[in-house]
Amino acid sequence: MSGPQAPEPTLEGQADASAGSPDEDAAEGIQHSHRMLSFSDALLSIIATVMILPVTHTEISPEQEFDKSVQRLLATRIAVYLMTFLIVTVAWAAHTRLFQVVGKIDDTLALLNLACMMTITFLPFTFSLMVTFPEVPLGIFLFCMCVIAIGAVQALIVLYAFHFPHLLSPQIERSAHRGLYRQRVLGIIVRGPALCLAAAGFSLFFYPASYLLMAMVIVLPHVSKAAGWCRAQLVGPREPPAHSVEVFTFDLHEPLSKERVEAFSDGVYAIVATLLILDICEDNVPDAKDVKEKFQGSLVAALGESGPHFLAYFGSFATVGLLWFAHHSLFLHIRRATQPMGLLNTLSLAFVGGLPLAYQQTSAFTKQPRDELESVRISCAIIFLASIFQFAIWTTALLQEGETLQPSARFGGREHAFMFAKLALYPCASLLAFACTCVLSSFSTAIFHAMQIAVPFAFLLLRLLVRLALAGLRALQGLVGPVLAWPAPGAADEAQSPLLPAPC
Amino acid sequence: MSGPQAPEPTLEGQADASAGSPDEDAAEGIQHSHRMLSFSDALLSIIATVMILPVTHTEISPEQEFDKSVQRLLATRIAVYLMTFLIVTVAWAAHTRLFQVVGKIDDTLALLNLACMMTITFLPFTFSLMVTFPEVPLGIFLFCMCVIAIGAVQALIVLYAFHFPHLLSPQIERSAHRGLYRQRVLGIIVRGPALCLAAAGFSLFFYPASYLLMAMVIVLPHVSKAAGWCRAQLVGPREPPAHSVEVFTFDLHEPLSKERVEAFSDGVYAIVATLLILDICEDNVPDAKDVKEKFQGSLVAALGESGPHFLAYFGSFATVGLLWFAHHSLFLHIRRATQPMGLLNTLSLAFVGGLPLAYQQTSAFTKQPRDELESVRISCAIIFLASIFQFAIWTTALLQEGETLQPSARFGGREHAFMFAKLALYPCASLLAFACTCVLSSFSTAIFHAMQIAVPFAFLLLRLLVRLALAGLRALQGLVGPVLAWPAPGAADEAQSPLLPAPC
């Protein structure tokens, strides 16, 4: 927690600088890394999310019941998906930190980054292999080799960048302790691969130890963070050695660039929205022969048969779209993302990535009324978890609101009430739908999807309602006494006045 | 072509402004649309590209030969893919232009944009339907309805934004002729849907006319552009009416925001790279039962069987990554993208989107030696087309290099020779591979993939070679006479000197 505010201006300055003076940079073959980072974010977010496809493509024949064995199969695959998501996110976070140190790229770094991406895209495969053959050393071995290869490429990137210091971020480039920085960055990068090397070794004679070591790779940053925090609480903040103050203000544990968190999240939402339409296109274009034989050539009848799928599609797309919208509104009011917020965001995204499963569940089981309520409940649970973690990001941000939030979203700020309503909408709606499945026996997937489609209008209503409520509160306060000033709603109204259209 | 340079500074200014003063904007619930646009770009690029999946998932059993009927099926699906890609790109271009007019968004506009995205994601489905049932009015009708719905939502966005002028781009907001702008923008948006409405009407009694009308939607902008250009060449540029000069300098036909072209391209490359790993994960994790029965429990043997797939994966990923790299280098030196460059970029991306097919071809047919060369040839053709269109972007840019290129990439610029070499590498390599398949009968997919993996090293060698060649030229020139100065290579060397690491 040492100096969490100090590095931020530098990082923002770096982001600003990346917009400027492209002429000079391009001339030297050196580029600010903005576009490469967006590309990497897109790639990593898609990789993290596509692993839901083996889950949704689990074949369940119509005769088969949704029994224990199917549930166990699904549970295993879901666990694989969640773990893969977390692992790729850890790789992404490491990548983010790496390119907070490396500010610019040249051709060699761009190629090294591509090599790094290629190795990361191979992670899901080796992980699937490891889960399918948990006791075979080769699976563990390949997975570890993959992690080690990623670490090696990242170490190469660091060494190369420190060899040509003009590629580093300005703060480090100007620093007198560059050597120390390099040591520290390399240490952080090599830590995970070193554990994996040990795990690969253990896989040959005692494989449970390997799993323990690999679990450590994921929890290590959080554990060391928590340990540091505990120590700070017990014995007071550690006095940094005088000569290296500058080194340790650049805390590599602390900041996740807000821009990159947004880009990664956008990628996840975009691919989730698209996986839905992919299913529609692959399964629901009726076969020309079928239409002739089954429906006497009537395309309308054939399409009518997959009507529920379209309803499910529109409902699911609306849900993904609005969760993105809530995320977008939330991050508009966030100044910087702390590590706990990053973790909550990852968890929220992991469940957003599960939405295609919810869609598949509610559209595949429409013909089995017994399981219908079950699948609606699963969908509600996924949506609830995705949205409650979004809500948790906000509440976590409120704990340190001075650092993390824009003034308008803080307690008493203009947008505070509306933000609360916006983020609470989906948790409440999904709980309501869940309750309905328990109370109403006639509740069906069709009603569920209709509810999903209705939510956008609720969003529009919400602003109206919140404004009315605030106006009511203000009127009430005016009655109680004009001494107690409530600045927020008044300011909001003043801000509204220029919104009225000027006569043109 | 009237005043193509005038609107650009405003657009750039707008992009800069979107980075600044988030505090004020967030407080009013109004946002610069940067993140929403990236999200839309990601969504649209993925939608455009995933339609390759039905092509690659065409089931061809090992016994079946790669005969005429399979070829015809594949050809149809490829045509569907290419058309969908073009249609979605047209929708994307319209979206780009729309948000060049609308500079900021509020909640309502964000929701309207999501509605627009949802309708666009439905386009591929209605298009597949139309192609599967070309003579049934319903298919055409649904497709047209989809286009009309997109137009309606976009018109709503325009009307809303003009109703609250602070949402418009600064240039239009300040303009005295805002009403004229609205008319013009609405006219452009409504044109396509109006044609589709006519097409939907025709579908009921004479469907070929519908197809003609729909084809017009795609070619109309280019035709009107070409007609304008021809007229300008014949009778000289049209004198704009004095009072509306300001209106027509904002030429909606001309600019495609370079940032959004890049974001869209990134999306396509990212999803293509990811489709490859998806196939690996779904098909190549061996079944636990198979390993026990077929391979006597040896996982190594089981994995060895799908070894060629991994080779194919690494080769294909390297190709996608390096094509992205070439694109990245190219756009680094591009200042602004004109319409012909945008069109060439679309064509290049369409073939990049075809790369999963190349991968599928070369990895699926490894067991049928007779078809092996055939599939390598198809892959070469796809790679050649994707890269030659990239090359064409550059040559087109060189035609108007003052407007479109950074100084360093122009004729005689420092990076000119290297850029040429970079962009020419893939067309040459794919031609070479194609030639090999004709000459060497022992050429195999394995060699082809090994070639693909070797290309990155060629990229690194290239810079060295180009530098050596330039140095050689300079030395030669020094011998001929010191009067003829060649500024470029000397400047390049001077630029290199600060790249040497400073002693730290």
Side-chain angles (χ1 to χ4, degrees), chain A residues 23 31 121 266 313 332 406, chain B residues 23 31 121 313 332 406:
Chain A
D23 277 318
Q31 311 121 36
T121 58
D266 282 352
Y313 171 67
L332 191 72
Q406 307 283 1
Chain B
D23 279 316
Q31 312 120 33
T121 57
Y313 171 67
L332 191 72
Q406 307 281 4

Side-chain angles (χ1 to χ4, degrees), chain A residues 23 31 35 46 53 107 111 114 121 163-164 266 274 277 313 321-322 327-328 332 406 418 422 499 501, chain B residues 23 31 35 46 107 111 114 121 163-164 266 274 277-278 313 321-322 327-328 332 406 418 422 499 501:
Chain A
D23 277 318
Q31 311 121 36
R35 190 180 163 195
I46 297 177
L53 274 189
D107 283 1
L111 288 177
L114 279 178
T121 58
H163 190 65
F164 297 103
D266 282 352
T274 325
I277 194 63
Y313 171 67
L322 288 181
H327 190 272
H328 173 251
L332 191 72
Q406 307 283 1
F418 187 52
K422 240 178 192 172
L499 301 200
Chain B
D23 279 316
Q31 312 120 33
R35 189 179 163 197
I46 297 176
D107 283 1
L111 289 176
L114 280 177
T121 57
H163 190 64
F164 298 103
D266 282 352
T274 325
I277 194 63
L278 190 62
Y313 171 67
L322 289 181
H327 190 272
H328 174 250
L332 191 72
Q406 307 281 4
F418 186 52
K422 239 178 193 174
L499 301 200

Side-chain angles (χ1 to χ4, degrees), chain A residues 139-390:
Chain A
I140 305 171
F141 195 76
L142 282 179
F143 180 76
C144 290
M145 282 303 129
C146 208
V147 175
I148 293 169
I150 295 168
V153 177
Q154 290 189 337
L156 262 181
I157 291 177
V158 169
L159 288 177
Y160 184 86
F162 274 89
H163 190 65
F164 297 103
H166 63 285
L167 296 172
L168 294 172
S169 83
Q171 196 200 4
I172 300 184
E173 189 188 346
R174 279 185 242 110
S175 160
H177 304 285
R178 222 187 290 149
L180 277 174
Y181 270 113
R182 192 176 60 177
Q183 294 263 307
R184 200 184 141 96
V185 173
L186 274 182
I188 291 175
I189 285 174
V190 166
R191 208 166 48 184
L195 281 175
C196 277
L197 192 63
F202 271 111
S203 71
L204 295 175
F205 51 95
F206 183 60
Y207 69 87
S210 309
Y211 287 107
L212 200 71
L213 283 169
M214 282 186 281
M216 273 178 68
V217 176
I218 292 177
V219 297
L220 200 68
H222 301 288
V223 168
S224 72
K225 185 79 190 296
W229 186 81
C230 289
R231 194 174 42 205
Q233 295 293 314
L234 288 176
V235 293
R238 189 170 41 161
E239 200 66 24
H243 74 278
S244 61
V245 173
E246 187 200 14
V247 175
F248 291 100
T249 52
F250 193 82
D251 186 346
L252 288 165
H253 282 286
E254 186 55 39
L256 280 177
S257 147
K258 185 192 152 197
E259 244 181 47
R260 293 201 63 189
V261 173
E262 287 182 352
F264 185 79
S265 311
D266 282 352
V268 172
Y269 285 103
I271 186 74
V272 166
T274 325
L275 289 180
L276 301 174
I277 194 63
L278 190 61
D279 280 336
I280 284 270
C281 285
E282 281 210 47
D283 304 338
N284 294 344
V285 176
D287 194 50
K289 221 196 287 173
D290 274 8
V291 171
K292 238 182 221 154
E293 286 165 12
K294 269 207 246 165
F295 302 98
Q296 290 84 42
S298 162
L299 187 57
V300 181
L303 282 181
E305 185 137 282
S306 49
H309 289 267
F310 300 126
L311 195 63
Y313 171 67
F314 286 119
S316 305
F317 191 97
T319 308
V320 177
L322 288 181
L323 283 173
W324 174 81
F325 177 62
H327 190 272
H328 173 251
S329 304
L330 177 61
F331 271 75
L332 191 72
H333 292 103
I334 285 179
R335 245 186 204 167
R336 55 191 292 271
T338 61
Q339 213 178 24
M341 285 159 72
L343 186 65
L344 288 170
N345 188 46
T346 303
L347 290 172
S348 168
L349 289 178
F351 288 103
V352 168
L355 281 173
L357 176 68
Y359 161 73
Q360 198 73 14
Q361 286 272 311
T362 48
S363 70
F365 294 108
T366 41
K367 284 165 206 153
Q368 296 160 294
R370 266 186 41 195
D371 303 321
E372 203 175 323
L373 292 182
E374 186 83 2
S375 58
V376 169
R377 271 179 219 146
I378 294 177
S379 299
C380 287
I382 293 176
I383 295 171
F384 177 76
L385 287 168
S387 54
I388 202 74
F389 279 116
Q390 278 189 346

Side-chain angles (χ1 to χ4, degrees), chain B residues 94-137:
Chain B
H95 189 266
T96 304
R97 288 201 186 105
L98 181 60
F99 281 92
Q100 282 176 347
V101 173
V102 181
K104 295 180 192 174
I105 56 164
D106 63 3
D107 283 1
T108 315
L109 276 187
L111 289 176
L112 280 175
N113 183 56
L114 280 177
C116 183
M117 286 298 123
M118 180 154 86
T119 338
I120 293 178
T121 57
F122 216 61
L123 268 181
F125 173 73
T126 53
F127 186 73
S128 310
L129 208 62
M130 190 172 85
V131 173
T132 322
F133 303 94
E135 300 177 19
V136 178

